[in-house]
Amino acid sequence: MPLHHRLRPADFMADAPVVARALIGATLLVNGVGGIIVETEAYDMSDAASHTHRGPTPRNRAMFGPPGHAYVYRSYGLHWCLNFVCREAGHGAGVLIRALQPTQGIETMRERRGLHDERLLCAGPGRVTQALGVSDAHYGLALTRPPFRVLAAPADSAALILAGPRIGVSKGVDTPWRFGLAGSRYLSRRL
DNA sequence: AAGTAGATGTTCT
DNA sequence: GAACATCTACTTA
């Protein structure tokens, strides 16, 4: 009986804040490199801070597709950011992966990120994608198949999860849709 | 420890 | 043109 099992499409079929909270403690690997998700943010169509708020566009097309797929966008012209599409196709809901606790392929991540302390390897959405090698090449791919592996948190984990306002948004400032593992040293910022 | 500038591409007004 | 789900390097205390 494996302690971790791979998430299935049905696991992504819930409202964005529910999925965002459930993903804390899950493991994300891309080609075997990654770690434990310690910080996420939820976005959905009802929310002015979301890329999907104004409806489908060429960029956000994947967010209106099936749940359990990747929505990757370029942030500030420099960084890639990775989202997990959730809810149902057509709903424009997703979860931004903001930080991981590195567990696998740490040397690979160090090389991709330059000489940096482990704490900063995946502490921020742009850092996560750089460390895991995620780019627009992953746009729209299923999270339930290689190169992705998303493994559920151990069933017995009773981790304390904190919520607060999201980072870097100018709209929806008071929506407490940022979730983080209490006490983790690998958050992009304290909660 | 906290603040700022500058890098850059895509979308939207 | 402006804004942007950011990061790094560099300043100032």
Side-chain angles (χ1 to χ4, degrees):
Chain A
M1 213 45 167
L3 188 60
H4 295 62
H5 65 90
R6 214 186 243 287
L7 293 188
R8 298 155 10 116
D11 295 312
F12 298 94
M13 299 185 74
D15 286 343
V18 173
V19 174
R21 184 181 279 274
L23 283 170
I24 302 297
T27 294
L28 167 63
L29 304 174
V30 179
N31 289 316
V33 174
I36 299 166
I37 298 172
V38 296
E39 183 182 341
T40 59
E41 282 178 0
Y43 290 88
D44 85 16
M45 226 182 147
S46 70
D47 157 35
S50 174
H51 290 167
T52 58
H53 186 238
R54 293 168 188 274
T57 66
R59 171 175 74 160
N60 67 24
R61 176 183 109 252
M63 283 278 270
F64 290 94
H69 287 241
Y71 164 52
V72 179
Y73 72 92
R74 200 190 270 288
S75 171
Y76 292 90
L78 296 166
H79 316 285
W80 299 107
C81 290
L82 171 65
N83 292 256
F84 291 1
V85 178
C86 63
R87 210 156 184 260
E88 298 162 50
H91 284 257
V95 175
L96 173 66
I97 305 303
R98 287 197 56 92
L100 307 181
Q101 172 181 338
T103 60
Q104 315 214 26
I106 291 178
E107 279 314 307
T108 300
M109 292 194 272
R110 278 194 216 282
E111 285 163 22
R112 287 172 176 161
R113 295 262 308 118
L115 304 174
H116 273 272
D117 93 72
E118 189 171 314
R119 240 173 120 125
L120 295 177
L121 278 183
C122 300
R127 291 165 170 168
V128 169
T129 57
Q130 188 182 25
L132 303 211
V134 170
S135 71
D136 58 342
H138 298 83
Y139 189 96
L141 296 187
L143 300 165
T144 49
R145 301 183 13 188
F148 289 103
R149 277 170 75 210
V150 185
L151 308 173
D156 60 356
S157 84
L160 181 57
I161 296 167
L162 302 178
R166 295 166 296 184
I167 292 177
V169 298
S170 61
K171 297 170 186 163
V173 190
D174 296 322
T175 306
W177 279 6
R178 174 177 175 238
F179 301 93
L181 182 61
S184 173
R185 304 180 351 255
Y186 300 94
L187 300 174
S188 67
R189 277 167 52 176
R190 272 202 129 25
L191 252 166

